[in-house]
Amino acid sequence: MKRLLLAGLLALCALAQAEAPKKTLRYAFRVAETGFDPARINDLYSRTITPHIFEPLVSYDHLARPAKLKPMTAVELPTPNADFTVWTARIRPGIYFSADPAFKGVKRELVAADYAYALRRFADPLIPSPGWTSVESWGIQGLKALREQAQKAKRGLDYERPIPGLQVLDRYTLRIVLDKPNPRFLQELAGGDLYGAVAREVVEAYGDDTMAHPVGTGPFVLTEWKRGSRIVLERNPDYRERFYDAEPNADDAEGQALLKKFKGRRLPMVDRVEIAIIEENQPRWLAFLKGEHDFIERVPEDFISLAAPNAKLAPNLTKQGMHLHRTLNSEVYFQMFNMDDPVVGGFAPEKVALRRAIGLGMDLEAEIRLVRRGQAIPAQGFYTPNTVGYDARLKTENGEFNPAKSKGLLDLYGYKDRDGDGCRDAPDGGPLKLEMNTTPEAFQRQIDERFDKDMKRIGLCVDFKAAKWPEQLKAARAGKYQMWMVATSADKPDGQSSLARFHSAQVGGQNMSRFRLPEMDSLYEQIITLPEGPERLALMARTVRLAVAYMPIKFKGHRFLTDIERTQMSGYRRPLFWQNWWEYVDVDPAAAAR
């Protein structure tokens, strides 16, 4: 009888466990993704998905402020030689890719060759990769030459040909050889959103459809994808034993509290992540208020006064047990000019004057106050907060609003209204055709209206060309635009990645303004190789002055980001330079039901 009772009790326990609700994290992206093949993407929202699937050799301590690198799949931090041109990484044995038909039922272990293959893919002319220009700038010996051979032969990359820059010494050891010193190379390798390990079998199995079939060693697997609408990931059932640990500073109260609460918990703590794509601010905010989402990332500026008046969580939300996170993010939003465009591009004095006049005519303070509801500070340069190169005390023309000076520049260089229609004409007397690419959301329309008002004040008339964000990104990469407003966030503590937007070798990649200036290229190459110190900072300051003088980009502001957790979610802390954070949060389904 006792045995029967015990058996029945065990059966009930098993049934209860089986029926226990999954811990599901639900929230919304404000912009549609493009896909999930690391070599093919460059947008923030796709790059938020990929580091939860793919894993780099090294990553960042989730709680450490300032940022601190730590091993991810590597046994220890990769070690350099004396001049930082040779880096050796040893991979931890016993790490496996998630199960996939491409492996034909075989459990597939992560090996050094997977990282070598992943990096080679950026150089393959058949992909092509928006990240190639960044990888090219690292100077991996032989990789650029291998790419050029493939281009000349009009074929894909030869993945079998050895190159000195990527040496697989044994099953678990990778050596990367650079043609120039790079003391900060580990920061490059920490980008799991782009530089995680990729299995060759998966790429070959899915061919041109790799954007829909990401397979990595990370804590989550993609289980559903409706483009531009819904993304679902679930816990990787084959994920190795990995436990919550971190090293926040002793005086970091929030970090210490999170460590105390979660230390030793197995990762990931949630079972499932459901992401909706809601581009309009109002429905995204209302979905959060109605409890459809556990979390809202980046409270829309339109609703910030309701959510966080005076930067404090609203009393009605506090009563519901919500928790607010407000951060001056390591990002910058800006307006690009296509330097190849015949109207606004080039280095002729009248073209430089036009760009500078447009910049001087933009009332950044009014946009921040009226449209962004005070959730930003004006930008003086292109380096972002919390990164090397950023100077909070700096004041430049980039942050100046001076309509009189703007009109004087336009008059001086021949941009005058000759026919009295209220719109200035080109110096040659023909019409001045200005066009701004934009997106159709209500909030962006407010930004556009503000810009249009600013330009009419100085006599410039602008047409707006609306399309979905992924389409505008594609056009910008191809150089098929005149002006476009966009934002970007830093992916590492060093400001070098911000400077890449002005490096001529990265035209078509990071350099979407297509700016080419030999002095800037020379400064970029020096800044890469120099160690930290006053000399390097002085060169970085010079790059800001050049960018402001020629103004291929008008940097507008650095945003405060406000994120809110509902009572059922805990553990969130906005990452500084990385995108993976889902594994570090927990969701209590019972709390959500209350």
Side-chain angles (χ1 to χ4, degrees):
M1 185 66 178
K2 289 182 179 180
R3 289 180 180 177
L4 289 173
L5 288 172
L6 180 60
L9 182 61
L10 291 173
L12 287 172
C13 290
L15 181 62
Q17 186 175 9
E19 294 178 348
K22 285 186 175 182
K23 292 184 175 184
T24 302
L25 169 64
R26 303 162 303 160
Y27 75 108
F29 283 175
R30 60 193 290 166
V31 173
E33 76 298 333
T34 58
F36 313 117
D37 181 343
R40 295 177 183 268
I41 63 173
N42 198 33
D43 61 287
L44 173 62
Y45 294 92
S46 298
R47 290 175 64 174
T48 299
I49 301 294
T50 50
H52 295 97
I53 297 172
F54 301 94
E55 291 183 308
L57 289 161
V58 298
S59 187
Y60 290 97
D61 187 304
H62 180 59
L63 299 181
R65 304 289 187 277
K68 180 180 180 180
L69 287 165
K70 65 179 184 180
M72 177 58 83
T73 61
V75 175
E76 59 190 2
L77 291 179
T79 55
N81 64 348
D83 68 354
F84 301 101
T85 57
V86 180
W87 294 80
T88 303
R90 293 190 300 117
I91 295 167
R92 188 180 303 279
I95 297 175
Y96 293 89
F97 285 91
S98 60
D100 189 86
F103 300 131
K104 303 184 186 307
V106 177
K107 195 174 181 181
R108 172 64 156 78
E109 188 180 20
L110 173 70
V111 294
D114 296 318
Y115 284 104
Y117 174 72
L119 291 176
R120 282 176 181 252
R121 291 191 70 229
F122 286 89
D124 193 331
L126 297 185
I127 290 184
S129 173
W132 162 243
T133 54
S134 294
V135 174
E136 180 187 20
S137 72
W138 301 351
I140 297 175
Q141 287 189 8
L143 189 57
K144 182 179 180 180
L146 192 65
R147 173 183 170 86
E148 290 172 347
Q149 291 170 9
Q151 289 175 317
K152 186 176 181 179
K154 297 182 179 180
R155 56 170 172 75
L157 197 77
D158 184 351
Y159 288 91
E160 304 300 331
R161 177 170 294 185
I163 59 173
L166 293 171
Q167 302 175 23
V168 178
L169 302 184
D170 58 43
R171 184 173 178 82
Y172 303 111
T173 308
L174 175 67
R175 177 173 291 163
I176 302 175
V177 183
L178 309 177
D179 59 18
K180 56 193 172 188
N182 189 340
R184 291 157 294 277
F185 187 57
L186 285 187
Q187 293 183 23
E188 307 285 2
L189 296 181
D193 50 347
L194 297 180
Y195 309 124
V198 175
R200 185 170 181 173
E201 304 96 304
V202 173
V203 173
E204 292 179 347
Y206 295 109
D208 293 335
D209 201 24
T210 53
M211 290 285 257
H213 295 279
V215 179
T217 62
F220 294 94
V221 295
L222 181 70
T223 57
E224 181 183 343
W225 182 29
K226 296 180 180 177
R227 294 173 187 266
S229 175
R230 176 177 166 86
I231 307 167
V232 178
L233 299 96
E234 296 196 6
R235 177 199 297 269
N236 177 0
D238 301 319
Y239 195 55
R240 64 188 179 279
E241 286 192 346
R242 183 173 155 230
F243 301 94
Y244 194 109
D245 198 11
E247 296 181 357
N249 287 346
D251 60 354
D252 180 354
E254 181 186 57
Q256 289 292 339
L258 290 172
L259 179 62
K260 181 178 179 180
K261 180 174 182 178
F262 295 111
K263 185 176 174 63
R265 293 276 299 275
R266 186 167 179 178
L267 304 178
M269 293 185 280
V270 297
D271 302 304
R272 180 179 170 93
V273 181
E274 297 178 358
I275 298 168
I277 314 301
I278 307 178
E279 295 178 337
E280 291 289 354
N281 286 346
Q282 184 180 49
R284 188 168 66 257
W285 171 243
L286 293 177
F288 172 71
L289 286 185
K290 290 188 293 185
E292 295 174 10
H293 299 148
D294 307 290
F295 170 73
I296 184 165
E297 193 238 5
R298 304 181 186 223
V299 173
E301 291 89 342
D302 324 38
F303 299 98
I304 199 70
S305 59
L306 296 175
N310 301 314
K312 303 291 184 182
L313 188 65
N316 63 311
L317 303 183
T318 301
K319 289 178 182 178
Q320 296 178 50
M322 297 187 190
H323 186 60
L324 177 142
H325 303 265
R326 187 172 187 266
T327 311
L328 180 60
N329 201 38
S330 301
E331 66 157 33
V332 62
Y333 59 94
F334 52 88
Q335 176 173 317
M336 300 184 297
F337 300 93
N338 181 358
M339 292 293 287
D340 289 342
D341 181 78
V343 178
V344 300
F347 291 89
E350 69 275 13
K351 306 298 186 183
V352 176
L354 176 60
R355 295 193 298 271
R356 291 180 65 168
I358 290 172
L360 286 164
M362 296 169 68
D363 191 345
L364 303 182
E365 293 278 6
E367 180 185 309
I368 290 171
R369 184 178 71 256
L370 300 174
V371 183
R372 299 185 183 276
R373 277 58 169 189
Q375 299 307 297
I377 59 173
Q380 303 295 333
F382 58 86
Y383 293 112
T384 62
N386 305 311
T387 67
V388 175
Y390 177 74
D391 183 355
R393 302 163 299 177
L394 183 67
K395 298 293 181 183
T396 71
E397 184 188 283
N398 185 89
E400 182 181 353
F401 170 55
N402 193 327
K405 187 176 177 180
S406 173
K407 291 178 181 178
L409 268 176
L410 293 169
D411 289 342
L412 180 63
Y413 285 91
Y415 294 96
K416 298 180 180 181
D417 180 7
R418 293 175 173 82
D419 55 11
D421 65 351
C423 302
R424 291 177 185 265
D425 299 307
D428 63 4
L432 180 62
K433 296 183 178 179
L434 297 176
E435 183 178 83
M436 171 71 77
N437 282 17
T438 187
T439 50
E441 307 86 46
F443 178 74
Q444 184 58 46
R445 285 195 293 273
Q446 295 179 54
I447 300 291
D448 295 340
E449 288 167 5
R450 183 78 241 172
F451 177 68
D452 189 46
K453 180 179 180 180
D454 287 344
M455 293 301 99
K456 285 179 178 174
R457 183 191 292 115
I458 59 175
L460 296 179
C461 298
V462 182
D463 292 327
F464 292 86
K465 181 181 178 182
K468 289 288 188 178
W469 196 88
E471 295 173 38
Q472 300 291 27
L473 177 63
K474 183 178 180 180
R477 285 177 181 163
K480 297 178 179 179
Y481 78 103
Q482 187 184 90
M483 298 183 288
W484 187 36
M485 295 184 191
V486 70
T488 186
S489 53
D491 60 358
K492 56 182 70 71
D494 190 71
Q496 178 185 313
S497 58
S498 296
L499 181 56
R501 294 185 190 94
F502 302 95
H503 189 211
S504 63
Q506 303 208 40
V507 168
Q510 290 279 67
N511 185 353
M512 290 192 290
S513 68
R514 312 181 83 78
F515 181 74
R516 303 171 180 87
L517 185 70
E519 183 181 356
M520 192 72 94
D521 289 346
S522 175
L523 288 168
Y524 180 85
E525 296 300 330
Q526 293 176 68
I527 287 167
I528 286 178
T529 59
L530 282 173
E532 307 293 348
E535 181 184 359
R536 187 169 188 263
L537 288 176
L539 295 183
M540 296 179 94
R542 173 64 179 164
T543 64
V544 173
R545 291 193 292 273
L546 287 173
V548 171
Y550 290 105
M551 199 158 287
I553 302 175
K554 166 71 172 183
F555 290 91
K556 300 177 67 179
H558 310 293
R559 290 181 291 194
F560 287 99
L561 300 185
T562 300
D563 311 311
I564 302 177
E565 296 170 295
R566 297 188 69 88
T567 186
Q568 64 265 26
M569 179 177 159
S570 60
Y572 177 77
R573 193 179 207 190
R574 173 168 281 279
L576 291 177
F577 310 109
W578 53 99
Q579 304 303 328
N580 59 301
W581 55 267
W582 302 343
E583 63 263 46
Y584 301 112
V585 301
D586 197 9
V587 172
D588 180 0
R594 289 198 291 268

